[in-house]
Amino acid sequence: MERQRSFSLKPTRFLVFSFTIFSSFIFLTFFTTWLIKATPSVPQQVHLQFNKSSFVLGFRPTTVQSLTGFSGNLPLNGLKDSILKTTHLSKPENASGSAGISLLNESRVAPHEEEKGGGGMDGNFTALAQVEQTVRAEEVEKIELVSSSSKKIEENKTEATAFEKIEISRSGKVEDKRKNGVCDFTRGRWVYDESYPLYTNGSCPLIDEGFNCQGNGRLDKDYMKWRWQPQDCEIPRFNATKMLELIRGKRLVFVGDSINRNQWESMLCMLMGAIKDPNKVYETHRRRITKGKGNYSFRFVDYKCTVEYYVSHFLVHEGKARVGQKRKQILRIDAIDHGSSRWRGADILIFNTAHWWSHYKTKAGINYYQEGGQVHPRLDVSTAFRKSLMTWASWVDRYINPRRTRVFFRSSAPSHFRGGQWNSGGSCKEATKPLDTLGASSSEKNVIAEEVIKQMKTPITFLNITGLSEYRIDGHPSIYGRKSASGSQDCSHWCLPGIPDVWNELLYAHLQ
């Protein structure tokens, strides 16, 4: 009897158990379908991390980048169209438990992705609801972050200076990306600016007597307060601290005639504006700047850099050779200056030559220019100038590494003698303001220099300062090149502070 009763109960239990399983399956199926349809779209690149073990949904995961890499170039109204099909939720590597959660938003899956996804669901729906709330909170925060970033980017674009939007080409011209035009430093005008000069003869002890016009008795000061304003772009105001950072641990070297020494002294004075302790700037050979010495190297201790000048009137070798029965001074236009070994290894090189090519001896070219073992009885100065620059160009292409050294060639600086030359009563004493207009003129030396530079392998920046300096008849020392009055006037060099400061602002702009 007992045996028969026990046997009759088993079918009933089986039916109850089967009904329970079947009901649960139906409930799970309907609930799962409702939950998937109710799940919102997840914005692109949402990345959540969990510290505890979680469940795995049976869809194929896809790795995506987080919003921290958002560049800000995507407009906010386009964000809605860039929703990812997959959001990757991973736990940190140091967390315990199984792998992270990969949650697929079915409403955004393409048909072929659905076919690849496959799989059913296992897990805890309470945890899934929490994940859904977290994703929604993260979505709001990310959208707010993107909106804030977009606004900040627009503000930065508005606040940026014009020069931050321009690029400098090899020819020395500047492309203004904002205007899609070309900005040429050589075209512009002089603007009176009370914020200039950038230093004074009192704040800079490195101005030599020949350029210290105020120290030599010049009373008018307007010549120091003019700023060059290009027609289509802005020149950044010289920042001594930033310039010193640009040349930190480097050699900034000027090579050329006394006009380049003029620019070199200007650079020293401009940089001194950022130095709190003048004792941390010194000449490495303890030389005092005078016209007698040709080579100088000033070390800026805190920045581990040097600003150097090496005299080379022609960039090629000046020497002597026998002409007839006498030894005469000659110019070896096929041999680089013997001091060129000092130029090598520089990080920034600024060359020039022009001033001495206008002297009588070089213009005449009689028994003066030598090539090989021959001294030319007569050679045209333009031909000699071209041959000399080709010698210089060959040396640069051979010995200068363009990956390390930036090379500039500065154009010729104009003189403003009236009524004669420097040795025949020429004068510029009366000038106290820039010229209003310029006559039609072109510099043959600049044309030759540009033609030679175009044939070089090494990239050279042609720093064209000729035209803008032509206006500044008021910027020369004139009778204030010495403390004691003299018969001759200096209308070739420039007072400091003065026009060479603008040349260095252009140099600074190119280096940025």
Side-chain angles (χ1 to χ4, degrees), residues 356-401:
W356 283 58
W357 290 91
S358 61
H359 289 187
Y360 172 78
K361 188 164 42 180
T362 50
K363 289 178 70 175
I366 300 173
N367 293 323
Y368 183 62
Y369 299 115
Q370 179 179 347
E371 284 187 281
Q374 178 188 4
V375 177
H376 293 281
R378 182 184 292 272
L379 187 65
D380 177 69
V381 64
S382 297
T383 302
F385 181 74
R386 184 183 294 274
K387 286 178 177 288
S388 296
L389 282 189
M390 291 175 67
T391 299
W392 164 80
S394 297
W395 180 88
V396 170
D397 282 341
R398 181 176 180 182
Y399 292 107
I400 298 301
N401 180 357

Side-chain angles (χ1 to χ4, degrees), residues 72 81 100 214 288 311 322 400:
D81 298 327
Q214 280 189 296
R288 179 173 170 271
V311 63
R322 184 171 294 280
I400 298 301

Side-chain angles (χ1 to χ4, degrees), residues 131 174 329 402:
V131 170
V174 178
Q329 286 187 332

